[in-house]
Amino acid sequence: MNRFDATTIWKSVSEQVPDGGDSTPHPVDALDAEEAARESSGGAAADWSEAIGAQTFFVPLHYESNYRYPLIVWLHSDGFNENQVCHVMPHVSSRNYVATGVRAPAASDPSGHRFAWSNSVAAVQWAERSVLEAIDRTAAQYSVHAQRIILAGYQNGGTMAARIAMRHPERFAAAISLGGSFQLPKCSDLDRQRLKERRLPMLWQRSIESEFYDQTRLVSEIQAASSIGAQVEIRQYRNDDEMNTAVLSDLDRWIMNHVVNGAPVAKLSPWDTSPTSFSDN
């Protein structure tokens, strides 16, 4: 299987271009617009408390309780739920990690099966608390290496993963974003100094044929990451979606190299990346 079916597995049925529209906004921009419209119309804020505790576990084959596993905390794409981790992990590794999927706060369909991330203050605070609680629950049930916790996500889940990791840089060994944008969190001078000292390792995986790919935006994001001294590795792929087996295989190798084996992550300039259609790790 070289590629997942993006329509039936990963995409929300509501993710369609409006009639007459000739472009689709980046997922983060779309969420910002939706949030602003709800607030301006006087709509009630989402009830974030309803989703707290929604979590799925992925346990590796031949789980050994005496071995401390790296933990992947997975934040799903909009239009899916915490069970996405069970679709993803077999293509990353069925043996190397304990993993847990965390549900986004806002329901995006009437049946309550699809959920979305939001950029509102309340939603970000909810997501942050939910991720930290999910880590504690996982560590209480399974053998997890406290210094090898990786926060990863797909599309807006990747954006949220990077945001939360930067708010708690000491808690995470790395942050990984598949197709998500990079946004610096609003923080004090002291917190910014903490980020610079931590130099959080990050892996950004981008598909250059995606409708959301923007070279100008990527350069701006690299500059923002450089401003806090983050160790960023960027991998670009010649396809239109990051959710495929080559990307997930690269994710596994990157974690094993840089988190488990401790190899340094080079600080990249915009000219250090090259598009590939296969793993060249």
Side-chain angles (χ1 to χ4, degrees):
M1 182 177 186
N2 295 323
R3 180 175 173 80
F4 300 127
D5 186 329
T7 300
T8 59
I9 296 181
W10 305 110
K11 296 289 187 180
S12 167
V13 293
S14 63
E15 292 180 10
Q16 299 178 16
V17 179
D19 292 339
D22 53 6
S23 65
T24 302
H26 189 279
V28 173
D29 298 334
L31 278 176
D32 283 338
E34 180 182 340
E35 193 72 24
R38 182 163 54 245
E39 291 177 357
S40 64
S41 65
D47 185 1
W48 312 119
S49 63
E50 290 182 359
I52 290 178
Q55 179 179 6
T56 295
F57 299 102
F58 175 87
V59 182
L61 289 175
H62 310 300
Y63 171 78
E64 175 53 63
S65 60
N66 293 324
Y67 175 75
R68 293 192 298 165
Y69 288 87
L71 170 63
I72 295 178
V73 182
W74 183 262
L75 306 186
H76 61 82
S77 56
D78 289 345
F80 214 87
N81 57 48
E82 68 277 12
N83 294 320
Q84 189 177 73
V85 71
C86 297
H87 294 268
V88 169
M89 288 307 300
H91 298 280
V92 176
S93 173
S94 61
R95 299 175 181 271
N96 291 342
Y97 313 98
V98 168
T100 185
V102 179
R103 179 186 295 179
S108 58
D109 72 334
S111 64
H113 296 298
R114 300 172 183 268
F115 297 84
W117 305 96
S118 169
N119 289 325
S120 72
V121 173
V124 173
Q125 290 176 344
W126 175 93
E128 180 181 342
R129 184 172 70 253
S130 186
V131 164
L132 297 178
E133 291 177 357
I135 292 171
D136 291 341
R137 284 192 294 268
T138 306
Q141 296 186 50
Y142 302 103
S143 180
V144 170
H145 197 304
Q147 280 73 52
R148 295 177 180 173
I149 299 176
I150 302 99
L151 188 52
Y154 175 38
Q155 294 184 347
N156 280 329
T159 301
M160 186 64 72
R163 178 183 287 132
I164 294 173
M166 286 186 291
R167 290 170 65 91
H168 298 272
E170 297 84 6
R171 292 291 304 268
F172 298 99
I176 299 176
S177 175
L178 283 69
S181 67
F182 177 81
Q183 301 175 343
L184 280 177
K186 295 179 180 179
C187 58
S188 65
D189 291 341
L190 180 60
D191 288 337
R192 183 174 288 268
Q193 185 59 36
R194 281 172 51 224
L195 277 172
K196 289 182 177 179
E197 293 173 355
R198 171 67 179 93
R199 301 194 68 235
L200 183 68
M202 295 187 188
L203 172 63
W204 299 353
Q205 296 174 286
R206 304 286 177 88
S207 291
I208 63 174
E209 297 175 5
S210 167
E211 59 185 325
F212 303 125
Y213 181 84
D214 185 327
Q215 181 69 22
T216 301
R217 175 181 288 213
L218 177 60
V219 171
S220 176
E221 291 172 349
I222 292 171
Q223 293 170 343
S226 296
S227 73
I228 59 169
Q231 302 179 72
V232 180
E233 181 168 339
I234 303 169
R235 297 194 177 188
Q236 301 188 80
Y237 303 82
R238 279 197 188 91
N239 49 46
D240 61 1
D241 198 313
E242 293 80 14
M243 189 51 66
N244 62 67
T245 54
V247 172
L248 295 178
S249 179
D250 277 354
L251 184 155
D252 173 41
R253 293 189 180 95
W254 189 89
I255 293 175
M256 296 305 291
N257 285 339
H258 300 295
V259 176
V260 176
N261 296 326
V265 179
K267 185 176 179 181
L268 298 180
S269 75
W271 317 114
D272 289 329
T273 65
S274 59
T276 62
S277 58
F278 55 89
S279 170
D280 62 351
N281 188 12

